[in-house]
Amino acid sequence: MDQFDRLIATINERRSATPATSYVASLTHKGRAKIAQKLGEEAVETVIAACSGDDAAIVPEAADLVFHLAILLADAGLSFDDIRTELARREGVSGHDEKAARSQ
C-alpha cells in the first residue's frame, strides 16, 4: 500500500467521524459541492504557488490539492486505483488524440 492508498483509507475511516472532531467528516458532511469548491480553491492556490517563482512553495499546495482530491474521490466511491486505471488506458496515446476521442 503506497502513500496515496493510505491517504484514501484514512479519509474513508474519517468520513463517518463526528464533524466537530474531523476535518474530513466536516467537509464530507457539507456535501459534494463544498468538497469540489474546496478542491478548486486548492487548485488555485497551487497555480499561484507555481507562478510565484518559489518552486518549493508548490509542494505543500500540491499536497493540499491531492488531499482534497482524495476526499472527492472517496465521496464518489472512487480511489487512486481508478485514476491509475485511466492513466494506464491513456498510456502511449497522444494527448491530442485522447482529448479528441473524448469529444466525439
Side-chain angles (χ1 to χ4, degrees), residues 64-100:
D64 288 346
L65 179 62
V66 170
F67 174 74
H68 287 86
L69 174 60
I71 294 173
L72 180 65
L73 290 172
D75 190 68
L78 301 169
S79 73
F80 287 108
D81 282 342
D82 297 292
I83 295 173
R84 287 180 184 102
T85 299
E86 177 62 14
L87 291 172
R89 183 190 68 76
R90 295 180 185 188
E91 194 169 338
V93 177
S94 159
H96 294 297
D97 293 341
E98 195 282 326
K99 187 172 182 178

Side-chain angles (χ1 to χ4, degrees), residues 3-5 9 17 20-21 26 29-30 40-41 48 50 57 65 68 74 76 82 89 92 98:
Q3 188 67 38
F4 294 109
D5 294 330
T21 63
S26 68
H29 181 73
K30 292 175 184 174
E41 291 170 10
I48 291 168
L65 179 62
H68 287 86
D82 297 292
R89 183 190 68 76
E98 195 282 326

